[in-house]
Amino acid sequence: MPPQRSRRLQPHRPLRPHQWFAERLLAVLSGQRPVHWMLGHTIGEAYDQLAELAPSTPLRATQGSRPVLRHCRGAQPATGVVEAFASIAAGDRVRAMAFRLEQGADQRWRCAAVELGGERLTAGVPGCR
């Protein structure tokens, strides 16, 4: 019988900026957190986009299934910019979310734009969600 090996605990890797933001955007767009939770983490129209969309909770749970982040990937097309996409599952429904992060002079990342399922969340434009 081979000797038992002790399981070493894997060190906890901190989330990358796009993973951190994906979790927070999901929490707001599913109604788990209020939109003002993202107030200091957005720039430009991103906060207005979230504020307009959040009440309709487009990523809400379906048939009792809490939405979860399935995959999240990011690419850095330029220094200080990350363009990311995520897939969110709730029951048998899967939604796509894309967002852009920009790093400020203070080195903090902020969300600059959000899209769901190919529709840009444009604040103040009739017919857009």
Side-chain angles (χ1 to χ4, degrees):
M1 179 180 232
Q4 286 187 331
R5 295 183 185 177
S6 65
R7 287 185 141 192
R8 288 187 180 181
L9 294 176
Q10 295 292 328
H12 185 275
R13 289 181 14 191
L15 293 177
R16 293 178 149 177
H18 61 278
Q19 294 166 322
W20 189 88
F21 273 91
E23 291 285 354
R24 275 135 189 88
L25 290 169
L26 171 59
V28 169
L29 296 174
S30 66
Q32 297 172 46
R33 291 286 190 164
V35 71
H36 69 264
W37 193 50
M38 293 293 293
L39 188 58
H41 303 289
T42 57
I43 57 174
E45 292 183 18
Y47 183 79
D48 294 336
Q49 294 168 343
L50 289 172
E52 184 172 308
L53 191 66
S56 68
T57 59
L59 298 178
R60 68 186 166 275
T62 59
Q63 301 170 0
S65 298
R66 183 177 174 172
V68 294
L69 184 64
R70 288 180 49 184
H71 301 285
C72 183
R73 303 275 190 274
Q76 195 165 8
T79 302
V81 175
V82 172
E83 293 181 348
F85 68 92
S87 63
I88 289 109
D92 60 355
R93 189 176 91 181
V94 177
R95 297 283 308 264
M97 176 173 65
F99 53 98
R100 179 182 174 96
L101 305 177
E102 296 179 4
Q103 193 173 34
D106 60 1
Q107 300 303 303
R108 291 183 53 207
W109 290 97
R110 291 179 180 85
C111 183
V114 181
E115 292 183 18
L116 283 178
E119 292 184 40
R120 185 177 186 102
L121 308 182
T122 307
V125 178
C128 289
R129 297 183 87 191

